[in-house]
Amino acid sequence: MLTSSVENYLKTIYSLQQETGWASTSAIAEIMEVANPSVTMMLKRMAAMDPALITYVPYEGAKLTPGGERQALDVIRVHRLMETFLVKALGYTWDEVHEDAERLEHASSPRLIERMASFLGDPARDPHGEDIPDRNGKLPQRSETPLTQLDPGQSGRIVRVAADKPDILRYLDEIGLTLDVTVEVLEKAPFSGPVTIKNPQPGSAARALGREVTNRIYVEASD
């Protein structure tokens, strides 16, 4: 059994590795809001486990071993199923589920998770559009783009929104930018200025969104 701290490190390293191929010590520390020396101690511990969960390079960072990646995907499966259960069965909104799922994922059993998955009909995605790893730790291949990267005149359907900022999720819900909504980029201000978007539906108003928001919205670009 892994501790909750190790499980949280596995998720963080996996996320960073998906973005850049590597998880630097400083990036892990920033996301987990801990000091660099604390990260270094944990990485050394994870690298020394038998079997090792990561490959660790001092002063640089870490990468998951194949076994560590499978363990990370198991933790991610539990978290995303928990979020889905909280929304579908208990009426949570998408901005409420992340923190409670974080707590619950460390207090579950494999039997509970598989019964939960069956109860939910083996969902493929969680309330934020994130893929849920299957029972074998597999994820589908996806093609998606941060909204920020679309050019003026391009449109895309929202397929995923980063889950860890409840205030941003609440704001997006208030203005109707939720999963499966199609948006068009009207203008991108220079120097990292706002991105002006519009839902092509008649009567929808244009909105200028900061890059902090548009970087967290992922779309499938229209051809």
Side-chain angles (χ1 to χ4, degrees):
M1 294 291 292
L2 301 178
T3 66
S4 59
S5 289
V6 171
E7 290 181 341
N8 287 334
Y9 270 85
L10 286 171
K11 288 192 303 180
T12 300
I13 295 169
Y14 179 85
S15 176
L16 289 168
Q17 193 172 302
Q18 291 301 107
E19 293 176 6
T20 64
W22 181 256
S24 71
T25 302
S26 58
I28 296 170
E30 181 179 356
I31 290 173
M32 301 195 70
E33 299 181 342
V34 296
N36 278 28
S38 297
V39 174
T40 297
M41 289 179 59
M42 178 59 83
L43 295 182
K44 288 180 178 178
R45 176 183 166 195
M46 294 170 70
M49 289 181 175
D50 186 18
L53 296 176
I54 61 168
T55 301
Y56 171 61
V57 177
Y59 309 109
E60 294 188 25
K63 188 171 184 178
L64 295 170
T65 63
E69 182 169 331
R70 177 56 197 268
Q71 293 270 26
L73 287 166
D74 285 345
V75 178
I76 290 167
R77 171 175 168 80
V78 172
H79 179 87
R80 294 177 182 173
L81 281 170
M82 282 290 184
E83 289 193 334
T84 306
F85 179 80
L86 291 174
V87 168
K88 291 190 174 182
L90 300 183
Y92 277 59
T93 56
W94 72 341
D95 58 288
E96 295 175 327
V97 293
H98 186 70
E99 288 189 3
D100 280 357
E102 287 276 354
R103 298 184 182 96
L104 292 169
E105 72 188 44
H106 304 301
S108 62
S109 67
R111 178 172 60 184
L112 172 63
I113 294 306
E114 292 316 308
R115 290 193 178 183
M116 189 178 293
S118 296
F119 172 80
L120 294 167
D122 290 317
R125 295 188 179 182
D126 74 7
H128 308 103
E130 298 276 10
D131 289 315
I132 299 174
D134 67 16
R135 290 176 175 83
N136 298 312
K138 302 297 183 183
L139 285 168
Q141 295 293 319
R142 291 177 62 167
S143 177
E144 56 190 30
T145 305
L147 179 57
T148 305
Q149 294 184 12
L150 294 190
D151 294 322
Q154 282 190 296
S155 298
R157 180 176 64 88
I158 299 173
V159 295
R160 178 165 69 90
V161 180
D164 59 336
K165 296 286 186 182
D167 53 343
I168 291 179
L169 291 169
R170 282 191 293 273
Y171 173 67
L172 293 176
D173 195 47
E174 289 169 4
I175 64 176
L177 294 184
T178 53
L179 297 183
D180 295 321
V181 170
T182 297
V183 295
E184 178 186 356
V185 174
L186 301 179
E187 182 181 0
K188 291 173 68 175
F191 311 113
S192 299
V195 178
T196 303
I197 60 97
K198 184 178 184 296
N199 182 333
Q201 295 296 323
S204 297
R207 291 186 180 274
L209 302 176
R211 301 290 174 103
E212 180 184 5
V213 175
T214 58
N215 284 335
R216 303 173 68 80
I217 300 172
Y218 295 82
V219 300
E220 286 183 350
S222 304
D223 296 331

